[in-house]
């Protein structure tokens, strides 16, 4: 990493920087469609595009290990678990009006506030620091792996417990729905009772 004085500037971007910007726009668009669509399966598939775009961004930043972790854990595990949960709970394939909770403006406000806070923290932390994308990779897979699985091992374990809880919850919901359907389908249908006067009038 080098100081900002040696950077060519925003008016002369390199090919890698242009690709980074384009992939970022695609990732942002996919994330926006993920949270706005009312089709649950489409939301999960667009989430694959968004997470895959993040993996490409890591590759452009010469962080190959983090990119493959992104693909293996998030695209290969989290999204597959979401689709598996949708299949177990028999979620509707088409448009689902129930997918909108009515708190859209509150969610937009929280998302914008979180994005502004995140951008401000990143810009403030790396204000005078630039990554030389054309130079050698800063760091190695060993250093990144040790930092990831020693310092951040607790979030990884929490994520595994969360995935297990989601899988168990999907199985419980699917079994409950099956039991309700079976009990409702075998109930006998009784004919409405008629008064004696109505029978005589019909005759």
């Amino acid at each position: 990493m080098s100081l900002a004085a040696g950077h060519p500037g925003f008016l002369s971007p390199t090919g890698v920087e242009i690709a980074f910007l384009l992939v970022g726009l695609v990732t942002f668009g996919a994330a926006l469609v993920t949270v706005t669509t009312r089709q649950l399966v489409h939301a999960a598939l667009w989430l694959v595009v968004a997470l895959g775009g993040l993996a490409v961004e890591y590759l452009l930043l010469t962080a190959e290990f983090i990119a493959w972790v992104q693909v293996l854990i998030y695209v290969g595990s989290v999204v597959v678990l979401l689709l598996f949960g949708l299949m177990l709970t028999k979620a509707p394939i088409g448009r689902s009006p129930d997918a909108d909770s009515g708190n859209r403006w509150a969610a937009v406000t929280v998302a914008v506030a979180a994005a502004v806070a995140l951008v401000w923290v990143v810009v403030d932390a790396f204000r005078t620091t630039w990554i030389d994308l054309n130079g050698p990779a800063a760091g190695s897979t060993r250093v990144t792996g040790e930092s990831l699985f020693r310092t951040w091992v607790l979030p990884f374990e929490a994520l595994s417990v969360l995935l297990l809880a989601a899988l168990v919850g999907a199985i419980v919901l699917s079994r409950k729905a099956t039991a309700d359907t079976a009990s409702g389908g075998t109930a006998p249908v009784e004919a409405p009772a008629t008064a004696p006067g109505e029978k005589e009038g019909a005759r």
Side-chain angles (χ1 to χ4, degrees):
M1 304 176 75
S2 59
L3 296 178
H7 192 268
F10 291 103
L11 298 180
S12 57
T14 62
V16 178
E17 292 173 344
I18 295 176
F20 186 88
L21 179 61
L22 294 178
V23 174
L25 292 176
V26 173
T27 304
F28 177 76
L32 190 62
V33 175
T34 301
V35 298
T36 54
T37 182
R38 293 188 178 183
Q39 299 189 17
L40 299 179
V41 178
H42 288 183
L45 296 178
W46 279 109
L47 183 61
V48 174
V49 178
L51 297 177
L54 287 178
V56 175
E57 298 284 55
Y58 287 132
L59 284 177
L60 293 176
L61 291 175
T62 67
E64 293 85 0
F65 178 74
I66 303 297
W68 291 120
V69 168
Q70 173 81 14
V71 172
L72 292 176
I73 294 180
Y74 287 97
V75 179
S77 299
V78 175
V79 177
V80 172
L81 180 63
L82 287 175
L83 293 174
F84 188 63
L86 291 176
M87 290 187 295
L88 281 178
T89 54
K90 298 181 180 179
I93 301 300
R95 294 178 62 86
S96 178
D98 297 335
D100 191 358
S101 63
N103 299 323
R104 180 173 299 179
W105 289 111
V108 169
T109 303
V110 173
V112 170
V116 171
L118 182 61
V119 170
W120 181 80
V121 169
V122 172
V123 171
D124 184 69
F126 302 97
R127 186 182 301 274
T128 59
T129 305
W130 296 86
I131 298 176
D132 188 8
L133 299 178
N134 297 322
S140 61
T141 303
R142 179 178 178 180
V143 175
T144 306
E146 290 179 353
S147 175
L148 189 63
F149 293 106
R150 287 183 180 178
T151 307
W152 303 102
V153 66
L154 184 60
F156 267 81
E157 295 298 329
L159 178 61
S160 63
V161 174
L162 179 62
L163 294 177
L164 179 61
L167 182 60
V168 173
I171 294 174
V172 171
L173 290 175
S174 63
R175 293 187 63 180
K176 182 179 179 181
T178 304
D180 293 341
T181 304
S183 61
T186 57
V189 180
E190 297 180 356
T194 56
E198 294 179 358
K199 293 182 179 179
E200 294 177 1
R203 292 177 183 177

